[in-house]
Amino acid sequence: MSIYLDHNATTPLAPEAARAMEPFGRDRFANPSGLYPEAVAARRAVSEARERLAACLGCRAEEVLFNGGATEGLNHALLATALARDGGHLVAGGVEHAAVRRPLEWLARRGFQVTFVRPQRTGLVTAEAVAAACRPETFLVALQAANNELGTVQPVAEVGTVARRCGALFLVDAVQALGKLPLDMPTSGADLLAVSAHKVGGPKGVGALVVRTGVELPAWLHGGGQEAGRRAGTENVAGAVGFAAAAEVAVANRETWHRRWTALRPELLELTRILADCRLNGHETLTLPNTVSLAFRGIDAVELTVRLGERGVCVSPGAACCAGERSEILAAIGLDEPAIAGTVRFSMGPDTALTELQRARSAVVEVCRALRRG
Ligand code: PLP
């Protein structure tokens, strides 16, 4: 069995989610839009999933819009909001995921003004820096709750206050926060909040965008009237059911997992003491407890990752979706080239064991020493 330390990339399907989804892959296949009893049951399954996910996020069921994942939700929130206007200004943190950066760059090419707020060396984007970037014409502020590569946790509630004061909508990318941080819709101050099932033990290709009551969000996918007419397409019934089941497990266990990860984290940080030229990227304390991003200067992180994979240790150089490419996040926090090229991210899951971390650590030490000798 390999040692899986890449939970920020994706997570194994939780048994609760697999069990909940199973009937919908077989006999419970009816289209929720139908009128016969099987279809009514499918519709009920989606609306129950919506209620259960809403309870996990502290919002109303009718505020939850199921979709195909957080990339879709973030694109929907940014592009549909912007394209309903003639122009204006958007503000985002300087270490946002590509699912926020790319649509903003697309908008900038079409004449919108976009400011990426410079992060601190740890990846922290302060409320003061966001406030300084806001202007009278700012109509949207986007901030991730926690960074997927660094683990750095952002001051979401404070930035929400800044956005409100500025009269802008506040979009929160809560993908890495769900099940890891005590974040919900009311405390975040979000008008729009994106989450993804596969980061919390749910299936891939399912997510949700929470749209606060009163926020006008134009439709994204046009077609049938599903998801209150804002996201057309036959519902992914199994996906919604699996997401709700997984989210419930993650939220119910959040504090227990948080304590476990906090206790285990030093096992990975120990590498900074064992190996010369190994440094922590990200924040010492304002961090996801399951995430450790380390820069191994003089080491090629892609080679290190591949060699670790051959030894059954699964980690990522930077983020999984950008494997092999230079990390824009690490560049944004001001790391120099050797640190960027040598950065590996370790991200633990609920079942990560102490012995696995110790074995992974030994493997890292051996491979790094071999690569430095070679
Ligand atoms: N935002 C963050 C912070 C992420 O980590 C990810 C996934 O890596 C996404 C957005 C995109 O999520 P999805 O895979 O559901 O499209």
Side-chain angles (χ1 to χ4, degrees), residues 8 95-96 144-153 176 288 291 329:
N8 285 12
V95 287
E96 296 303 306
Q144 60 189 192
N147 186 270
N148 50 310
E149 288 186 43
L150 301 165
T152 303
V153 173
Q176 296 293 344
L288 293 174
T291 308
I329 302 295

Side-chain angles (χ1 to χ4, degrees), residues 8-91:
N8 285 12
T10 197
T11 56
L13 196 62
E16 292 82 353
R19 263 198 304 279
M21 292 167 73
E22 211 256 338
F24 297 94
R26 275 186 298 115
D27 38 322
R28 297 187 66 183
F29 59 84
N31 188 320
S33 298
L35 297 176
Y36 33 85
E38 290 84 349
V40 174
R43 193 151 64 242
R44 196 174 310 124
V46 174
S47 74
E48 273 173 25
R50 201 184 305 282
E51 278 166 25
R52 290 165 63 189
L53 185 62
C56 292
L57 298 170
C59 66
R60 300 186 199 170
E62 61 272 23
E63 295 176 317
V64 173
L65 211 69
F66 282 117
N67 58 25
T71 298
E72 181 188 323
L74 293 162
N75 272 263
H76 183 178
L78 292 165
L79 300 182
T81 306
L83 295 178
R85 319 167 57 94
D86 288 334
H89 181 229
L90 303 97
V91 172

Side-chain angles (χ1 to χ4, degrees), residues 320-347:
C321 57
C322 312
E325 290 170 24
R326 180 176 177 275
S327 162
E328 293 175 47
I329 302 295
L330 300 176
I333 62 169
L335 290 193
D336 59 15
E337 288 305 326
I340 295 174
T343 286
V344 169
R345 177 191 68 187
F346 303 80
S347 49

Side-chain angles (χ1 to χ4, degrees), residues 69-71 74 97 99 146 148 173 175-176 196 198-199:
T71 298
L74 293 162
H97 189 272
N148 50 310
D173 172 355
V175 169
Q176 296 293 344
S196 177
H198 76 105
K199 307 287 186 180

Side-chain angles (χ1 to χ4, degrees), residues 234-248:
T234 303
E235 296 88 340
N236 179 351
V237 183
V241 167
F243 188 6
E248 278 180 348

